[in-house]
mmCIF file of all heavy atoms in Angstrom:
data_model
loop_
_atom_site.group_PDB
_atom_site.id
_atom_site.type_symbol
_atom_site.label_atom_id
_atom_site.label_comp_id
_atom_site.label_asym_id
_atom_site.label_seq_id
_atom_site.Cartn_x
_atom_site.Cartn_y
_atom_site.Cartn_z
ATOM 1 N N ILE J 23 6.278 18.835 10.517
ATOM 2 C CA ILE J 23 6.841 19.789 11.432
ATOM 3 C C ILE J 23 7.571 20.827 10.595
ATOM 4 O O ILE J 23 8.523 20.485 9.855
ATOM 5 C CB ILE J 23 7.804 19.081 12.419
ATOM 6 C CG1 ILE J 23 7.080 18.016 13.225
ATOM 7 C CG2 ILE J 23 8.517 20.072 13.335
ATOM 8 C CD1 ILE J 23 7.989 17.105 14.009
ATOM 9 N N LEU J 24 7.094 22.038 10.637
ATOM 10 C CA LEU J 24 7.619 23.116 9.793
ATOM 11 C C LEU J 24 8.591 23.965 10.637
ATOM 12 O O LEU J 24 8.257 24.397 11.708
ATOM 13 C CB LEU J 24 6.525 23.939 9.228
ATOM 14 C CG LEU J 24 5.441 23.194 8.462
ATOM 15 C CD1 LEU J 24 4.321 24.092 8.034
ATOM 16 C CD2 LEU J 24 6.097 22.507 7.280
ATOM 17 N N ARG J 25 9.757 24.232 10.074
ATOM 18 C CA ARG J 25 10.773 25.085 10.738
ATOM 19 C C ARG J 25 11.011 26.320 9.845
ATOM 20 O O ARG J 25 11.509 26.194 8.747
ATOM 21 C CB ARG J 25 12.038 24.302 10.959
ATOM 22 C CG ARG J 25 13.074 25.111 11.722
ATOM 23 C CD ARG J 25 14.269 24.163 12.062
ATOM 24 N NE ARG J 25 15.454 25.037 12.207
ATOM 25 C CZ ARG J 25 16.593 24.762 11.646
ATOM 26 N NH1 ARG J 25 16.773 23.731 10.973
ATOM 27 N NH2 ARG J 25 17.651 25.620 11.817
ATOM 28 N N ASN J 26 10.651 27.483 10.375
ATOM 29 C CA ASN J 26 10.824 28.782 9.652
ATOM 30 C C ASN J 26 10.001 28.897 8.429
ATOM 31 O O ASN J 26 10.331 29.648 7.533
ATOM 32 C CB ASN J 26 12.300 29.025 9.408
ATOM 33 C CG ASN J 26 13.088 29.195 10.668
ATOM 34 O OD1 ASN J 26 12.589 29.735 11.683
ATOM 35 N ND2 ASN J 26 14.315 28.720 10.602
ATOM 36 N N VAL J 27 8.936 28.142 8.280
ATOM 37 C CA VAL J 27 7.972 28.249 7.171
ATOM 38 C C VAL J 27 6.580 28.018 7.754
ATOM 39 O O VAL J 27 6.382 27.524 8.848
ATOM 40 C CB VAL J 27 8.246 27.156 6.073
ATOM 41 C CG1 VAL J 27 9.545 27.366 5.419
ATOM 42 C CG2 VAL J 27 8.107 25.775 6.579
ATOM 43 N N THR J 28 5.603 28.415 6.965
ATOM 44 C CA THR J 28 4.185 28.162 7.357
ATOM 45 C C THR J 28 3.455 27.694 6.164
ATOM 46 O O THR J 28 3.866 27.943 4.992
ATOM 47 C CB THR J 28 3.556 29.436 7.837
ATOM 48 O OG1 THR J 28 3.605 30.456 6.915
ATOM 49 C CG2 THR J 28 4.159 29.908 9.146
ATOM 50 N N ALA J 29 2.354 26.988 6.377
ATOM 51 C CA ALA J 29 1.452 26.557 5.312
ATOM 52 C C ALA J 29 0.535 27.691 4.916
ATOM 53 O O ALA J 29 0.178 28.502 5.741
ATOM 54 C CB ALA J 29 0.608 25.321 5.739
ATOM 55 N N GLY J 30 0.301 27.780 3.655
ATOM 56 C CA GLY J 30 -0.613 28.850 3.152
ATOM 57 C C GLY J 30 -1.629 28.270 2.177
ATOM 58 O O GLY J 30 -1.555 27.168 1.684
ATOM 59 N N SER J 31 -2.618 29.082 1.873
ATOM 60 C CA SER J 31 -3.719 28.691 0.958
ATOM 61 C C SER J 31 -3.259 28.655 -0.493
ATOM 62 O O SER J 31 -2.465 29.578 -0.904
ATOM 63 C CB SER J 31 -4.923 29.616 1.093
ATOM 64 O OG SER J 31 -5.409 29.496 2.386
ATOM 65 N N CYS J 32 -3.682 27.637 -1.234
ATOM 66 C CA CYS J 32 -3.383 27.606 -2.663
ATOM 67 C C CYS J 32 -4.531 26.738 -3.287
ATOM 68 O O CYS J 32 -4.591 25.544 -3.005
ATOM 69 C CB CYS J 32 -2.047 26.994 -2.961
ATOM 70 S SG CYS J 32 -1.675 26.850 -4.682
ATOM 71 N N ALA J 33 -5.318 27.346 -4.121
ATOM 72 C CA ALA J 33 -6.477 26.680 -4.673
ATOM 73 C C ALA J 33 -6.097 25.469 -5.527
ATOM 74 O O ALA J 33 -6.852 24.512 -5.617
ATOM 75 C CB ALA J 33 -7.289 27.610 -5.554
ATOM 76 N N THR J 34 -4.911 25.468 -6.150
ATOM 77 C CA THR J 34 -4.536 24.330 -7.054
ATOM 78 C C THR J 34 -3.727 23.261 -6.353
ATOM 79 O O THR J 34 -3.386 22.262 -6.994
ATOM 80 C CB THR J 34 -3.819 24.848 -8.278
ATOM 81 O OG1 THR J 34 -2.634 25.541 -7.830
ATOM 82 C CG2 THR J 34 -4.663 25.730 -9.124
ATOM 83 N N ALA J 35 -3.331 23.475 -5.117
ATOM 84 C CA ALA J 35 -2.556 22.488 -4.358
ATOM 85 C C ALA J 35 -3.422 21.379 -3.732
ATOM 86 O O ALA J 35 -4.624 21.635 -3.488
ATOM 87 C CB ALA J 35 -1.742 23.202 -3.263
ATOM 88 N N SER J 36 -2.841 20.239 -3.480
ATOM 89 C CA SER J 36 -3.610 19.193 -2.797
ATOM 90 C C SER J 36 -4.004 19.730 -1.409
ATOM 91 O O SER J 36 -3.249 20.417 -0.757
ATOM 92 C CB SER J 36 -2.750 17.888 -2.635
ATOM 93 O OG SER J 36 -1.633 18.219 -1.888
ATOM 94 N N ASN J 37 -5.200 19.374 -1.037
ATOM 95 C CA ASN J 37 -5.801 19.854 0.266
ATOM 96 C C ASN J 37 -5.914 21.398 0.376
ATOM 97 O O ASN J 37 -6.100 21.916 1.420
ATOM 98 C CB ASN J 37 -5.037 19.327 1.468
ATOM 99 C CG ASN J 37 -5.152 17.826 1.560
ATOM 100 O OD1 ASN J 37 -6.210 17.229 1.216
ATOM 101 N ND2 ASN J 37 -4.147 17.167 2.075
ATOM 102 N N GLY J 38 -5.650 22.090 -0.768
ATOM 103 C CA GLY J 38 -5.832 23.503 -0.785
ATOM 104 C C GLY J 38 -4.706 24.289 -0.045
ATOM 105 O O GLY J 38 -4.865 25.489 0.243
ATOM 106 N N GLN J 39 -3.628 23.587 0.260
ATOM 107 C CA GLN J 39 -2.512 24.260 0.999
ATOM 108 C C GLN J 39 -1.164 23.917 0.350
ATOM 109 O O GLN J 39 -1.003 22.831 -0.172
ATOM 110 C CB GLN J 39 -2.531 23.870 2.460
ATOM 111 C CG GLN J 39 -3.681 24.439 3.263
ATOM 112 C CD GLN J 39 -3.519 24.089 4.715
ATOM 113 O OE1 GLN J 39 -3.198 23.009 5.094
ATOM 114 N NE2 GLN J 39 -3.639 25.159 5.541
ATOM 115 N N LEU J 40 -0.174 24.782 0.576
ATOM 116 C CA LEU J 40 1.190 24.545 0.201
ATOM 117 C C LEU J 40 2.103 25.131 1.254
ATOM 118 O O LEU J 40 1.733 25.898 2.150
ATOM 119 C CB LEU J 40 1.511 25.102 -1.219
ATOM 120 C CG LEU J 40 1.322 26.564 -1.471
ATOM 121 C CD1 LEU J 40 2.462 27.409 -0.835
ATOM 122 C CD2 LEU J 40 1.273 26.807 -2.964
ATOM 123 N N VAL J 41 3.403 24.782 1.158
ATOM 124 C CA VAL J 41 4.381 25.302 2.094
ATOM 125 C C VAL J 41 5.413 26.042 1.224
ATOM 126 O O VAL J 41 5.982 25.488 0.323
ATOM 127 C CB VAL J 41 5.046 24.142 2.872
ATOM 128 C CG1 VAL J 41 6.203 24.678 3.733
ATOM 129 C CG2 VAL J 41 3.982 23.474 3.758
ATOM 130 N N ASN J 42 5.693 27.311 1.631
ATOM 131 C CA ASN J 42 6.677 28.091 0.882
ATOM 132 C C ASN J 42 8.039 27.840 1.506
ATOM 133 O O ASN J 42 8.284 28.216 2.642
ATOM 134 C CB ASN J 42 6.331 29.571 0.989
ATOM 135 C CG ASN J 42 7.317 30.451 0.229
ATOM 136 O OD1 ASN J 42 8.365 30.012 -0.228
ATOM 137 N ND2 ASN J 42 6.979 31.712 0.063
ATOM 138 N N MET J 43 8.925 27.134 0.783
ATOM 139 C CA MET J 43 10.281 26.797 1.298
ATOM 140 C C MET J 43 11.290 27.774 0.722
ATOM 141 O O MET J 43 12.513 27.449 1.007
ATOM 142 C CB MET J 43 10.579 25.349 0.916
ATOM 143 C CG MET J 43 9.659 24.322 1.479
ATOM 144 S SD MET J 43 9.825 24.139 3.296
ATOM 145 C CE MET J 43 11.423 23.377 3.400
ATOM 146 N N SER J 44 10.957 28.738 -0.011
ATOM 147 C CA SER J 44 12.026 29.601 -0.594
ATOM 148 C C SER J 44 12.657 30.446 0.438
ATOM 149 O O SER J 44 12.065 30.764 1.494
ATOM 150 C CB SER J 44 11.364 30.487 -1.689
ATOM 151 O OG SER J 44 10.431 31.374 -1.120
#
Side-chain angles (χ1 to χ4, degrees):
I23 298 167
L24 304 176
R25 183 173 154 226
N26 297 324
V27 297
T28 56
S31 296
C32 178
T34 58
S36 62
N37 295 328
Q39 291 188 311
L40 58 75
V41 175
N42 182 350
M43 297 291 290
S44 65

